[in-house]
Amino acid sequence: MATFQMSPQTHAVPMALFRKNRQKVCEALKSNVAVEKGSFVLLEGGKDVSFNDTDTNYLFRQESYFQYFFGVKEPDCYGVLNVDSGESILFVPRLPEEYATWMGRLLSLDEFKSMYEVDRVLYVDELPTFFEKASPKLILTLSGLNTDSGLRSKPATFEGIEKYVVNCDLLHPVVAECRVIKTPEEIEVLRYVAKVSSDAHIKVMQFMRPGRSEFEGEAVFLHHSYAVGGCRHTSYTCICGSGTNSAILHYGHAAAPNDKAVKDGDMCLFDMGANYCGYAADITCSFPANGKFTEDQKFIYNAVLDARNAVLKEAREGVSWVDMHRLACRVMLQRLKEGGMLQGDVDEMLAAGLAGTFQPHGLGHLIGLDVHDVGGYLPGQPERPSEPWLSKLRFARTLQAGMYVTVEPGCYFIDILMDKALADPNLNKFIVKDVFERFRSFGGVRIEDDVLITKTGNENFAIVPRTVEEIEKCMAERED
């Protein structure tokens, strides 16, 4: 059985996983009345990308849809599926002889066939001849909107494709919907990369202390994920915020590169996820830099933890994700009220959109081959809510068994949002100003888990300390 495996100690991903994905898509296409007999799927893999105008390249990562179908680690490939028969044909670049000198031995077509368990392997320059012989009634290429990025996937092409009937719109919603429900084989990869990421987070929590820099924590995460877990990639840029930086939702980018020195009394919010064989983890841990929560830190942390616990108790097949977001916000506002920061009726707070002041993002997102995975706002699914405090939700679907989602409630004190709330009479009537202002330099708390939805509940793949007591105990075990 062919597998992808970084070492004997890391997870072996069977190529059967990708074969099952291909079969799943073919069956979905055959049940689609718009797909006639004699149709073929044509996909283009990711390309090597040079670093600006230099002769070095960015570290290659396969295009996600191509990874879903083929699990191929090499760039510049194409793939074809015969929808009727399910036959899979991988097209690899015909490399020059000197490749062997600089890059390694040239693999034969039979070796590629065995390595990826496809039915046939040809060279990319044989695509035109292949389709001449196949005489397809329809070629399905992939083009569709990613509702998280706003960008469109680019359809595959080859010289002479204009001679055939081509549809670049029909395939995308079908494949995206197939990716929403994970197979048992995919679930095991996701379980593995979440465990690697969880263990790395624990290492970071035990390493961090006042005087160390945010990027040092990032380095600990990256080292464990790769050295122990075989995860060469992360799923996104690591977010390692401390103090007020913990209230910057996507901190860690090039202009803010996790470069602050951590101070005594800071709250740390570290959002990091490893990536294995293209599959993502996305876990956030929030903890005090010195290992001991202050009363104010406990107050905010437990408000978020209670919101998270409420969702994990209720999330299962048949439940609306929008309702889960509302539940998390209601619980958090109630806890903030009980702690003296808010006053008034919680349902009225929700109706006024006050929750968006504290949590401007959605409860979570689908996750899989992309950290913000596809399937959020496909045709036939609920549209994005229009209310401002709900509009950032990355999907609004009813949960189904086999969906894999993040649950990530948060509470942040962001100057611009605090100022807007205080200036808005519809919101400031709920705010106890002196308590609210006390937290202006607090930063934020997020608790993010990776959760598999089942028919009767859910399974949390993030295995990290979550209660105040668990976190303090974990951090007390750190080594100097």
Side-chain angles (χ1 to χ4, degrees), residues 182-209:
K182 275 45 180 180
T183 64
E185 292 82 1
E186 287 181 302
I187 288 167
E188 290 313 304
V189 185
L190 292 164
R191 189 191 306 277
Y192 172 78
V193 73
K195 181 62 167 64
V196 169
S197 300
S198 297
D199 290 346
H201 268 281
I202 291 170
K203 293 286 186 185
V204 172
M205 292 169 68
Q206 293 177 336
F207 169 84
M208 291 307 297
R209 66 204 64 206

Side-chain angles (χ1 to χ4, degrees), residues 3 9 19 36 132 150 163 175 187 245 255 258 285 316 332 341 360 366 368 379 408 445:
T3 61
Q9 288 74 45
R19 184 173 67 247
E36 56 185 311
E132 283 177 16
K163 295 187 292 187
V175 183
I187 288 167
N245 291 341
N258 296 326
C285 293
R316 57 176 55 81
M332 185 172 68
M341 185 179 291
L366 298 165
E408 49 178 304
V445 167

Side-chain angles (χ1 to χ4, degrees), residues 193-209 212 216-218 220-222 224-225 270-273 283-288 461-466 470-479:
V193 73
K195 181 62 167 64
V196 169
S197 300
S198 297
D199 290 346
H201 268 281
I202 291 170
K203 293 286 186 185
V204 172
M205 292 169 68
Q206 293 177 336
F207 169 84
M208 291 307 297
R209 66 204 64 206
R212 289 186 167 159
E216 292 181 76
E218 177 181 12
V220 170
F221 182 88
L222 296 175
H224 181 91
S225 297
F270 280 32
D271 182 340
M272 304 176 289
I283 296 170
T284 305
C285 293
S286 297
F287 55 92
F461 286 4
I463 313 300
V464 291
R466 282 307 190 201
E470 288 169 349
I471 291 169
E472 291 184 344
K473 181 176 183 294
C474 171
M475 296 184 71
E477 296 169 357
R478 57 192 179 186
E479 298 177 2

Side-chain angles (χ1 to χ4, degrees), residues 412-428:
Y412 316 88
F413 296 89
I414 302 169
D415 281 338
I416 188 172
L417 299 183
M418 294 177 75
D419 293 340
K420 284 183 178 180
L422 290 170
D424 185 343
N426 293 316
L427 300 180
N428 64 24

Side-chain angles (χ1 to χ4, degrees), residues 342-359:
L342 301 178
Q343 59 190 357
D345 184 80
V346 171
D347 287 331
E348 290 180 13
M349 295 179 201
L350 282 172
L354 181 62
T357 297
F358 298 97
Q359 184 187 303

